[in-house]
PDB file of all heavy atoms in Angstrom:
ATOM      1  N   LEU C   4      -7.759 -30.266 -25.071  1.00 74.00           N
ATOM      2  CA  LEU C   4      -7.343 -31.292 -23.912  1.00 74.00           C
ATOM      3  C   LEU C   4      -5.931 -30.969 -23.585  1.00 74.00           C
ATOM      4  O   LEU C   4      -5.155 -30.965 -24.614  1.00 74.00           O
ATOM      5  CB  LEU C   4      -7.593 -32.670 -24.469  1.00 74.00           C
ATOM      6  CG  LEU C   4      -7.022 -33.750 -23.534  1.00 74.00           C
ATOM      7  CD1 LEU C   4      -7.781 -33.877 -22.284  1.00 74.00           C
ATOM      8  CD2 LEU C   4      -7.107 -35.170 -24.329  1.00 74.00           C
ATOM      9  N   SER C  10       0.892 -25.879 -22.471  1.00 71.00           N
ATOM     10  CA  SER C  10       0.213 -25.574 -23.748  1.00 71.00           C
ATOM     11  C   SER C  10      -0.720 -26.782 -24.180  1.00 71.00           C
ATOM     12  O   SER C  10      -0.697 -27.856 -23.668  1.00 71.00           O
ATOM     13  CB  SER C  10       1.187 -25.443 -24.813  1.00 71.00           C
ATOM     14  OG  SER C  10       1.980 -26.503 -25.105  1.00 71.00           O
ATOM     15  N   ALA C  13      -3.888 -31.405 -27.359  1.00 83.00           N
ATOM     16  CA  ALA C  13      -4.732 -32.055 -28.312  1.00 83.00           C
ATOM     17  C   ALA C  13      -6.053 -31.201 -28.507  1.00 83.00           C
ATOM     18  O   ALA C  13      -6.430 -30.538 -27.595  1.00 83.00           O
ATOM     19  CB  ALA C  13      -5.216 -33.489 -27.996  1.00 83.00           C
ATOM     20  N   ARG C  37       3.302 -44.376 -15.514  1.00 66.00           N
ATOM     21  CA  ARG C  37       3.223 -44.603 -14.081  1.00 66.00           C
ATOM     22  C   ARG C  37       3.670 -43.519 -13.279  1.00 66.00           C
ATOM     23  O   ARG C  37       4.599 -43.563 -12.388  1.00 66.00           O
ATOM     24  CB  ARG C  37       4.077 -45.859 -13.746  1.00 66.00           C
ATOM     25  CG  ARG C  37       3.700 -47.044 -14.512  1.00 66.00           C
ATOM     26  CD  ARG C  37       4.636 -48.117 -14.296  1.00 66.00           C
ATOM     27  NE  ARG C  37       4.290 -49.220 -15.328  1.00 66.00           N
ATOM     28  CZ  ARG C  37       4.418 -50.480 -15.246  1.00 66.00           C
ATOM     29  NH1 ARG C  37       4.977 -50.973 -14.178  1.00 66.00           N
ATOM     30  NH2 ARG C  37       4.179 -51.278 -16.176  1.00 66.00           N
ATOM     31  N   GLN C  47     -11.507 -28.091 -22.359  1.00 89.00           N
ATOM     32  CA  GLN C  47     -12.159 -26.750 -22.417  1.00 89.00           C
ATOM     33  C   GLN C  47     -12.947 -26.687 -23.737  1.00 89.00           C
ATOM     34  O   GLN C  47     -12.527 -27.286 -24.659  1.00 89.00           O
ATOM     35  CB  GLN C  47     -11.027 -25.566 -22.587  1.00 89.00           C
ATOM     36  CG  GLN C  47     -10.231 -25.371 -21.347  1.00 89.00           C
ATOM     37  CD  GLN C  47      -9.266 -24.324 -21.619  1.00 89.00           C
ATOM     38  OE1 GLN C  47      -8.823 -23.885 -22.656  1.00 89.00           O
ATOM     39  NE2 GLN C  47      -8.746 -23.804 -20.497  1.00 89.00           N
ATOM     40  N   LEU C  48     -14.162 -26.054 -23.654  1.00 89.00           N
ATOM     41  CA  LEU C  48     -14.915 -26.002 -24.797  1.00 89.00           C
ATOM     42  C   LEU C  48     -14.992 -24.499 -25.301  1.00 89.00           C
ATOM     43  O   LEU C  48     -15.190 -23.597 -24.509  1.00 89.00           O
ATOM     44  CB  LEU C  48     -16.436 -26.397 -24.521  1.00 89.00           C
ATOM     45  CG  LEU C  48     -17.466 -26.307 -25.641  1.00 89.00           C
ATOM     46  CD1 LEU C  48     -17.101 -27.269 -26.795  1.00 89.00           C
ATOM     47  CD2 LEU C  48     -18.856 -26.467 -25.053  1.00 89.00           C
ATOM     48  N   PRO C 106     -15.461 -35.098 -25.399  1.00 58.00           N
ATOM     49  CA  PRO C 106     -16.779 -34.930 -24.829  1.00 58.00           C
ATOM     50  C   PRO C 106     -17.904 -34.954 -25.824  1.00 58.00           C
ATOM     51  O   PRO C 106     -17.856 -34.355 -26.833  1.00 58.00           O
ATOM     52  CB  PRO C 106     -16.731 -33.770 -24.001  1.00 58.00           C
ATOM     53  CG  PRO C 106     -15.527 -33.119 -24.427  1.00 58.00           C
ATOM     54  CD  PRO C 106     -14.694 -33.990 -25.229  1.00 58.00           C
TER      55      PRO C 106
END
Side-chain angles (χ1 to χ4, degrees):
L4 170 67
S10 62
R37 301 176 195 207
Q47 295 181 339
L48 178 65

